[in-house]
Amino acid sequence: MGTIHLFRKPQRSFFGKILQEFRLVAADRRSWKILLFGAINLTCTGFLLMWCSSTNSIALTAYTYLTIFDLFSLVTCLISYWVMMRKPSPVYSFGFERLEVLAVFASTVLAQLGALFILKESAERFLEQPEIHTGRLLVGTLVALSFNLFTMLSIRNKPFAYVSEAASTSWLQEHVADLSRSLCGIIPGLSSIFLPRMNPFVLIDLAGAFALCITYMLIEINNYFAVDTASAIAIALMTFGTMYPMSVYSGKVLLQTTPPHVIGQLDKLIREVSTLDGVLEVRNEHFWTLGFGSLAGSVHVRIRRDANEQMVLAHVTNRLYTLVSTLTVQIFKDDWIRPALLSGPVAANVLNFSDHHIIPMPPLKGTDDLNPVTSTPAKPSSPPPEFSFNTPGKNVSPVILLNTQTRPYGLGLNHGHTPYSSMFNQGLGVPGIGATQGFRTGFTNIPSRYGTNNRIGQPRP
């Protein structure tokens, strides 16, 4: 039998957890306005969908999708309030800022899917255009426009406000900006409204309402029902063109990419950190967008052995914190690799002497090889000096070098090792080394010892 927990807390279900978090958000008075606008939005959306069915207008349906998008933006605003209330946890060490990024990305993608659905329905209507009733077409347009503008201008939606300013401009904004420059050249007072660029949500609401007004007039005057389909396509294209840059920007944030407009500033800060006292190298730097307006990053800093770690850490953090709000700095000191010096005799089972050359160091000159006129003979029985170092002399052990000579194959030549005794039978001898270790030469009749010649017994001239 398992362990019985008497006072174990019951596990909440998924919907129970959502209800608990919703109560946490509803406790803030700032969210009451958002909840009120959400209730009004649901009511207006219901009426607009009924009027779309009665008028049989697909252009009004495309414009109603903007009201549904307003509902998504209100939910995103609630999520933003909830993110500000929650603190980072051990599971989510960076907090919950990426949740509002995900909400913006989902809202814009759903708006684009709605635009694609309108394009598909409009293509089918071109084959068989139904009759459009204009009884409630203009009323529905005015209700949707009033509610959309009132929602956008009354509630400060922090995530969408940041994305609309940081994302690239849409084609609709660029065309309106060109017209606004010409208009502001005539009336300079309008530059504060139209320049540098208009709010994309307000712009698409005004453009959609203008398209529906043209549709209403053409149908009332000429019964030209195909203009309703053309207006629906225009509203769908404007919706898609407005939401696409926001989807791209929020998607790059979710992919943890570095914003292009801060790359130059980050490079400048990294160069400044590299010139700090004690810093040898800055490597493995990685910076990414954690949320809207917040950067996170990590960097490794290699410092000198005698540098103060806390001092360097304080200076590096002070430089990078101006741009990177969440920063992780790893300091490690320089580690020099020192080769171990081994001394003593080499074991016979360690090295294979067939693959190594043994070069004995030349011993000191003996008493029989010295010239009494220029040198003073040393006493062979004198003890070694009290302090002797490993300087070149008789106290140095033989140096063993690895034979790295490559042997060519297939040439029929023997490149084996030839003993020194057989290779240098004749040659120039060096005093103290012996005739068997002379240098290789092409002459054979060179005297092997100073003061002697091949003609034995003849005096030296």
Side-chain angles (χ1 to χ4, degrees), residues 318-441:
N318 188 27
R319 292 294 179 90
L320 295 178
Y321 192 73
T322 58
L323 193 61
V324 183
S325 58
T326 305
L327 181 63
T328 302
V329 181
Q330 182 176 354
I331 303 292
F332 59 95
K333 291 189 175 181
D334 189 24
D335 187 13
W336 297 338
I337 301 177
R338 296 183 176 180
L341 299 178
L342 300 178
S343 61
V346 182
N349 57 354
V350 175
L351 297 176
N352 186 6
F353 289 97
S354 62
D355 294 335
H356 296 79
H357 297 309
I358 302 178
I359 305 177
M361 297 300 296
L364 294 177
K365 297 181 180 180
T367 56
D368 55 344
D369 297 330
L370 297 179
N371 191 352
V373 178
T374 58
S375 303
T376 303
K379 298 181 180 180
S381 61
S382 60
E386 183 178 359
F387 300 99
S388 60
F389 300 93
N390 292 331
T391 55
K394 63 181 179 180
N395 295 324
V396 178
S397 301
V399 179
I400 301 176
L401 301 177
L402 180 62
N403 183 15
T404 57
Q405 181 181 3
T406 57
R407 303 179 180 180
Y409 298 96
L411 298 180
L413 300 177
N414 185 11
H415 294 271
H417 301 289
T418 305
Y420 288 102
S421 60
S422 61
M423 183 182 298
F424 304 111
N425 288 331
Q426 293 179 352
L428 182 60
V430 180
I433 298 180
T436 59
Q437 295 182 0
F439 294 95
R440 182 182 301 178
T441 177

Side-chain angles (χ1 to χ4, degrees), residues 27-43:
D28 190 1
R29 290 189 176 184
R30 294 179 300 176
S31 61
W32 292 358
K33 183 194 296 186
I34 300 175
L35 295 175
L36 178 61
F37 273 92
I40 298 175
N41 185 283
L42 291 175
T43 304

Side-chain angles (χ1 to χ4, degrees), residues 61-77:
T61 304
Y63 197 65
T64 304
Y65 283 174
L66 296 178
T67 307
I68 299 176
F69 174 77
D70 291 339
L71 180 62
F72 293 154
S73 66
L74 293 175
V75 174
T76 304
C77 193

Side-chain angles (χ1 to χ4, degrees), residues 173-442:
Q173 286 178 296
E174 292 177 357
H175 286 79
V176 172
D178 295 338
L179 296 176
S180 300
R181 292 188 185 93
S182 302
L183 183 61
C184 292
I186 301 175
I187 308 176
L190 297 178
S191 59
S192 60
I193 301 175
F194 296 103
L195 295 178
R197 60 179 183 178
M198 290 186 62
N199 189 338
F201 305 109
V202 176
L203 183 60
I204 192 175
D205 289 335
L206 295 176
F210 181 73
L212 282 173
C213 290
I214 293 178
T215 301
Y216 175 79
M217 290 187 296
L218 292 178
I219 292 177
E220 284 290 329
I221 296 174
N222 296 328
N223 290 330
Y224 189 53
F225 300 124
V227 71
D228 180 77
T229 305
S231 298
I233 294 176
I235 295 174
L237 291 177
M238 288 187 294
T239 303
F240 192 89
T242 302
M243 301 301 171
Y244 179 74
M246 301 181 188
S247 299
V248 172
Y249 182 82
S250 56
K252 289 182 178 180
V253 174
L254 293 176
L255 292 176
Q256 297 184 353
T257 58
T258 305
H261 63 278
V262 299
I263 292 179
Q265 302 177 16
L266 287 174
D267 292 340
K268 181 180 178 181
L269 292 178
I270 291 298
R271 288 194 299 268
E272 292 179 359
V273 170
S274 301
T275 58
L276 293 175
D277 185 21
V279 176
L280 297 177
E281 183 184 9
V282 178
R283 58 189 179 185
N284 296 334
E285 61 273 7
H286 177 55
F287 302 97
W288 68 94
T289 308
L290 183 63
F292 293 134
S294 62
L295 284 177
S298 62
V299 64
H300 294 178
V301 180
R302 184 168 65 93
I303 63 176
R304 294 197 312 264
R305 283 190 167 189
D306 58 344
N308 190 350
E309 297 181 1
Q310 298 299 327
M311 187 66 66
V312 174
L313 178 61
H315 284 297
V316 172
T317 305
N318 188 27
R319 292 294 179 90
L320 295 178
Y321 192 73
T322 58
L323 193 61
V324 183
S325 58
T326 305
L327 181 63
T328 302
V329 181
Q330 182 176 354
I331 303 292
F332 59 95
K333 291 189 175 181
D334 189 24
D335 187 13
W336 297 338
I337 301 177
R338 296 183 176 180
L341 299 178
L342 300 178
S343 61
V346 182
N349 57 354
V350 175
L351 297 176
N352 186 6
F353 289 97
S354 62
D355 294 335
H356 296 79
H357 297 309
I358 302 178
I359 305 177
M361 297 300 296
L364 294 177
K365 297 181 180 180
T367 56
D368 55 344
D369 297 330
L370 297 179
N371 191 352
V373 178
T374 58
S375 303
T376 303
K379 298 181 180 180
S381 61
S382 60
E386 183 178 359
F387 300 99
S388 60
F389 300 93
N390 292 331
T391 55
K394 63 181 179 180
N395 295 324
V396 178
S397 301
V399 179
I400 301 176
L401 301 177
L402 180 62
N403 183 15
T404 57
Q405 181 181 3
T406 57
R407 303 179 180 180
Y409 298 96
L411 298 180
L413 300 177
N414 185 11
H415 294 271
H417 301 289
T418 305
Y420 288 102
S421 60
S422 61
M423 183 182 298
F424 304 111
N425 288 331
Q426 293 179 352
L428 182 60
V430 180
I433 298 180
T436 59
Q437 295 182 0
F439 294 95
R440 182 182 301 178
T441 177

